[in-house]
Amino acid sequence: DREEELLHAVKKLSKESWSVSVVHHLPGFSPSVTGMPGMPEISLAAPEDFRWVKLQVPLMSARLLTEPHEGEMPQADRWVVEDYVLLVVEMFAQDVQECSKQILRIPVLHPDFEAIAVETLFSQLLRLPAPSFLPLFYCRLLEACAEKQTSMVKLIDEAFQSLFRRLPDMDDQCL
């Protein structure tokens, strides 16, 4: 699930001296991809009652567009980007246009960013037993993102095609 994915990603980062390949560009700070020397070792043992925590986030993001490849976004960074998208959707859900603007303004410089944003929105749309917002909201949000960022049109089409290819594997009573 999502917490185990994050724990695995943080352990991997710890072994790699906290070095990442994604640049989070924040105004006022110079972008850097190097690790932080002198970072203390962190105990990453999860308590036994950790498995009983219930969160309102998707347990797994559907990988409709991104396949493992050279130069892919590291797991920890992907988790952060997905979390940014989920937070923006939660905070700006009252206004679809503003929500799409804020998603596209997330300060991440990586070729997979748009694909991960689309996958996260599709994951929320298909969330069981019910999405956080009406499915129409996610469709309008995807459409608004596509209007503002034309490169997302192809990604959204590919995500729908991937979803249609997987229809025989889906449980029709859950849809």
Side-chain angles (χ1 to χ4, degrees):
D1 69 342
R2 194 154 164 81
E3 293 86 21
E4 288 173 350
E5 182 180 330
L6 177 63
L7 183 62
H8 176 70
V10 171
K11 285 181 181 180
K12 184 177 178 187
L13 271 177
S14 177
K15 289 177 186 173
E16 296 173 355
S17 302
W18 302 98
S19 178
V20 297
S21 62
V22 174
V23 179
H24 299 279
H25 179 70
L26 300 175
F29 296 93
S30 59
S32 174
V33 294
T34 59
M36 297 294 295
M39 286 289 289
E41 288 296 319
I42 300 172
S43 172
L44 300 175
E48 288 299 319
D49 60 347
F50 182 71
R51 300 201 186 278
W52 299 104
V53 174
K54 300 236 182 208
L55 297 177
Q56 294 298 317
V57 295
L59 295 178
M60 291 180 61
S61 182
R63 297 240 177 167
L64 300 171
L65 301 170
T66 56
E67 299 292 330
H69 63 279
E70 187 68 32
E72 75 174 324
M73 187 179 288
Q75 261 186 318
D77 291 332
R78 183 185 175 97
W79 197 93
V80 171
V81 169
E82 289 173 358
D83 204 49
Y84 279 162
V85 172
L86 293 172
L87 182 63
V88 167
V89 168
E90 184 179 330
M91 293 293 111
F92 293 94
Q94 299 299 323
D95 185 353
V96 172
Q97 295 299 321
E98 187 61 28
C99 188
S100 65
K101 285 180 196 173
Q102 294 300 322
I103 287 172
L104 295 173
R105 287 182 183 162
I106 294 174
V108 174
L109 304 175
H110 195 277
D112 290 342
F113 168 73
E114 291 175 353
I116 291 171
V118 169
E119 287 176 342
T120 305
L121 293 175
F122 266 85
S123 295
Q124 285 295 98
L125 172 67
L126 300 171
R127 186 172 157 199
L128 295 175
S132 300
F133 300 101
L134 292 174
L136 179 63
F137 166 78
Y138 294 105
C139 293
R140 289 184 57 216
L141 182 57
L142 287 165
E143 182 180 356
C145 287
E147 288 172 357
K148 290 173 183 52
Q149 187 81 20
T150 56
S151 59
M152 289 186 88
V153 172
K154 181 181 176 194
L155 293 171
I156 293 168
D157 287 344
E158 288 176 12
F160 273 115
Q161 291 301 321
S162 176
L163 190 63
F164 293 146
R165 282 191 302 272
R166 296 175 186 191
L167 277 177
D169 298 331
M170 293 184 179
D171 185 357
D172 62 343
Q173 294 188 9
C174 292
L175 296 177

